[in-house]
Amino acid sequence: GDFEKAIEIASDVLAIRGRVVPSTLEHVHLKALMEDGEELVGETTIVGAAKRIRRIYLDPGDVAANETALTAIREADLICVGPGSVFTSVIPNLLVPGIAEAIDASHAKKAYICNVMTQRGESDSFSAAEHVGAVRANIDHRLFDYVMVNTGIPSSSTLDKYRGAGQSLVEPDLDRIRAMGYRVLPGDYMNETDMVRHDPMRLAARLMSLVERA
């Protein structure tokens, strides 16, 4: 009956380091306007439609931000946006009234961490610049100054496996991102095991170097 308490208990059971704070405690649905003009509701329906997403919304759109989340943003020295499903994970949290405004007002270092691989039904064939562009198109505020982009390349066998699932390596089109006014932090941030994901230690080391800068 208490969503925030449930997350706290789950975090203890799973021995999660750090805190998981919801952007809102209210019930909300995800709504998307597709490129063909159709409007869809629900993450599963949106991703399963295999259509290009034009814009994403919250329904209702006037939910209250979680004050604990706003406080965490105000007190942060570093704010990281992503990685994650750009339309159904990253952007929705930023659409909660007050969240984007709090990030915009913060004097912390702010970085967007671009995904390593595209996501079928959501970011098909998206380059790094297109991930950034999706956030900009849906959020009125400029929320980050730095963009972390992976330049590592998985093995050909791994790429073939992802290609068979309709996914591909996110193209690191660094010059396009710079042209958008962001500082790019390129690097091999990839960890290739049974699947391709970010290497947490490499990523954390580069992020902490931002905090240490004057």
Side-chain angles (χ1 to χ4, degrees):
D2 186 323
F3 183 58
E4 196 167 21
K5 186 65 177 177
I7 290 178
E8 182 183 328
I9 293 170
S11 296
D12 288 341
V13 171
L14 298 171
I16 292 173
R17 297 171 64 184
R19 293 168 63 207
V20 179
V21 180
S23 54
T24 182
L25 298 175
E26 297 185 32
H27 292 287
V28 64
H29 296 285
L30 201 58
K31 184 182 292 185
L33 177 65
M34 314 307 282
E35 199 167 55
D36 62 0
E38 184 179 12
E39 198 169 76
L40 301 174
V41 179
E43 179 179 350
T44 303
T45 303
I46 293 167
V47 174
K51 296 180 180 180
R52 199 171 180 91
I53 301 167
R54 183 188 299 172
R55 199 165 181 85
I56 211 88
Y57 304 91
L58 298 183
D59 182 25
D62 59 350
V63 293
N66 181 2
E67 189 56 44
T68 304
L70 295 176
T71 299
I73 292 169
R74 285 193 291 266
E75 295 177 351
D77 296 310
L78 173 68
I79 297 173
C80 305
V81 180
S85 304
V86 64
F87 285 109
T88 58
S89 292
V90 174
I91 293 173
N93 288 285
L94 303 173
L95 291 174
V96 173
I99 296 292
E101 290 80 0
I103 296 173
D104 185 42
S106 170
H107 295 293
K109 297 290 177 66
K110 294 169 248 188
Y112 175 69
I113 305 169
C114 188
N115 292 352
V116 176
M117 306 297 294
T118 62
Q119 185 175 350
R120 190 173 184 179
E122 185 157 343
S123 59
D124 300 87
S125 74
F126 268 32
S127 67
E130 286 172 311
H131 280 80
V132 175
V135 177
R136 283 181 52 156
N138 284 271
I139 308 298
D140 294 332
H141 301 272
R142 181 185 172 94
L143 299 184
F144 41 86
D145 301 306
Y146 299 91
V147 179
M148 300 188 71
V149 182
N150 171 64
T151 54
I153 302 175
S155 65
S156 57
S157 60
T158 297
L159 287 174
D160 287 341
K161 181 175 68 175
Y162 272 92
R163 197 173 295 117
Q167 295 177 266
S168 59
L169 184 70
V170 172
E171 177 194 349
D173 47 352
L174 310 183
D175 288 338
R176 285 182 64 191
I177 298 173
R178 292 189 183 102
M180 297 164 76
Y182 298 99
R183 302 179 203 176
V184 181
L185 302 175
D188 184 351
Y189 303 123
M190 186 191 70
N191 183 334
E192 181 182 352
T193 51
D194 56 326
M195 59 191 300
V196 179
R197 60 186 68 181
H198 284 95
D199 184 292
M201 299 308 294
R202 293 181 194 174
L203 204 61
R206 192 63 186 274
L207 287 167
M208 290 308 297
S209 71
L210 288 180
V211 180
E212 293 163 1
R213 292 182 187 178

